[in-house]
Amino acid sequence: NWQDVSNQKSYGGSYKLTTQNGSFATFTFTGQSFSILYKGGPAFRKIDVYVDGLLVGTINEKGKTSTFQKRWGYPGTLTAGSHTLKLVFVTGSTSNNVSGSIDAVIVH
């Protein structure tokens, strides 16, 4: 349910976009922290962030203007080793005019 959208302002020249509530992306990484880059704007809503099955934060991607490479950083420190990151698009709207985005995941 995620589409590639090309735009030179995004990290690496493209980002992922969805309009379907509940759409998710899952990544496995090795590290103790991470940041998520995303595109924000008036039509964007929220992304729930799960690490190892636990909800650790919610990214509010809504903004007054269109922005690229917005950053959300994980506020804690994870134990050393492998972790699973799950990002879930959440909206109460039934309109296809709202979106969620993922531009990049940066592991620290």
Side-chain angles (χ1 to χ4, degrees):
N1 297 328
W2 295 87
Q3 306 169 6
D4 279 319
V5 179
S6 295
N7 192 300
Q8 292 181 354
K9 293 179 182 179
S10 60
Y11 186 87
S14 68
Y15 64 95
K16 298 288 188 184
L17 179 79
T18 187
T19 59
Q20 294 184 3
N21 187 42
S23 293
F24 65 90
T26 304
F27 306 89
T28 300
F29 68 94
T30 300
Q32 292 185 286
S33 189
F34 62 93
S35 297
I36 298 167
L37 299 182
Y38 62 92
K39 181 184 185 314
F44 290 84
R45 295 301 181 259
K46 295 180 180 180
I47 299 286
D48 280 345
V49 181
Y50 294 84
V51 176
D52 301 331
L54 299 173
L55 179 64
V56 298
T58 299
I59 304 168
N60 184 355
E61 298 184 339
K62 187 171 181 165
K64 291 184 180 187
T65 61
S66 180
T67 56
F68 288 87
Q69 297 191 42
K70 296 285 287 181
R71 182 183 293 254
W72 180 89
Y74 176 68
T77 302
L78 300 168
T79 58
S82 180
H83 299 280
T84 301
L85 174 63
K86 183 177 181 182
L87 305 173
V88 182
F89 174 55
V90 181
T91 180
S93 175
T94 58
S95 168
N96 282 340
N97 295 327
V98 296
S99 306
S101 73
I102 302 168
D103 193 356
V105 177
I106 302 168
V107 177
H108 311 280

